[in-house]
Amino acid sequence: MTRTHDSDPAARGPEERTGLELGAFLDWGRDLHHQGRYEDAVKAFELILGVDGGNEEALIGRNRAVRRAVPRWHWEMLHDEERAELYDRAIRQAVAADPDALVLDIGAGSGLLAMMAARAGAREVVACEGQPSVAETAARVVSAAGYDDAVTVVSKMSTRMSVPEDLPRRAGLLVTEIVDCGLLGEGILGTIEHAREHLLAPDAVIMPSRGRIIAQLVESQALHRKNHVGKLYGFDLAPFNRLSSLEYFDSRLHRHEHRVLSEPVTVFEFDFRTADARPRRTELRIEPTAAGTLHAVVFWFEMELLPGITVGNPPGRDSHWKQAIQCLPAPRRVQPGEPVVLDAAHDGECVRFEVAAGAAPAGEPAREPAARPAAHAEFEVVS
């Protein structure tokens, strides 16, 4: 049987064969993307761009995959001037105290903090970044800035690093910012615990050195609606609430109509020089400052980078971290003189609150005032 020109790749010209190969790679990249294998999809599209740098389909495909793999909060974070200025001040102070100390930057992102350390005079900086596309880009940023003689970017999670394979020796200064709006959500406790055991010198400076989580009771129908639904448009949509968040989400409190129902209280405190990721639980008795409907617990953090230098995301501050919002499953009526008992717990990565049984649901009469006074923990941080 004689093969036709259309069915025989060898009978086609080089340009036609190349077009077919690129088409196959495009299909491969799209398939990887649809499977949720975004980093593999990036590599597939980059193979095409290596042959045809202007291939629009590959450029768009690569960007779509990168957008899935790299959260957009990176850009807002980089424009957080207060955060950058405070970290820069703390880094300059720590490096000036020991310029020969090896600096380890965990969760390097763009490489900004690593370059700050090099600019401050650190002679050797290792920046690790677990997201491959971000790590590759950070290396380009560092090189373009002229700091690649001092900064080495390692594309690996710090918990998979070791000495001397990834670090020439144990680091004398750790710099990290792997925190979310609720402080623990990016695994800072376990990550620093691993670093202390495997990557840091015994007397290493750890930045941040301390942290605390602070919470406040809030009335806000607007926040409640971000996580709950009832009867709308003639239908009962309440069964959809089985998909609502049981834990917190981030939002800017000041952008939602709200009324605070208590003073802020300290929930958990952490000394990152000794803290571990074991779960913890505590009971809080919070005295309401006004009568109202409790819809949510709003919480945020303060981190002491070094003594006297503190960064955080309290309500009203223009921080890229926003605040952490945990809506109650059902609103509760509260009033002064009747402390609200909150069970607060974390599993090493996430903080969660529950109102103890006994608080009156919204619309029901409140109980008689409780006898025990409210507790308000203090943690003095100089900012």
Side-chain angles (χ1 to χ4, degrees), residues 1-12 16:
M1 180 176 179
T2 305
R3 295 175 182 264
T4 65
H5 175 75
D6 289 339
S7 63
D8 187 356
R12 297 182 175 94
E16 190 176 1

Side-chain angles (χ1 to χ4, degrees), residues 286-328:
I286 303 178
E287 180 71 43
T289 55
T293 301
L294 173 59
H295 289 106
V297 178
V298 177
F299 61 105
W300 58 93
F301 67 81
E302 288 181 354
M303 288 193 305
E304 183 182 82
L305 304 182
L306 291 178
I309 304 177
T310 302
V311 64
N313 61 331
R317 183 172 294 181
D318 191 20
S319 166
H320 79 277
W321 280 298
K322 306 177 186 178
Q323 287 77 52
I325 313 290
Q326 184 183 324
C327 291
L328 272 62

Side-chain angles (χ1 to χ4, degrees), residues 24 132 269:
E269 300 178 40

Side-chain angles (χ1 to χ4, degrees), residues 103-151:
V103 179
L104 173 60
D105 175 11
I106 292 180
S110 66
L112 178 63
L113 301 186
M115 292 187 296
M116 284 179 174
R119 182 174 64 186
R123 296 178 176 87
E124 195 170 6
V125 182
V126 174
C128 72
E129 170 57 51
Q131 212 285 333
S133 294
V134 175
E136 179 188 354
T137 304
R140 295 186 183 191
V141 171
V142 168
S143 178
Y147 286 110
D148 50 348
D149 58 337
V151 178

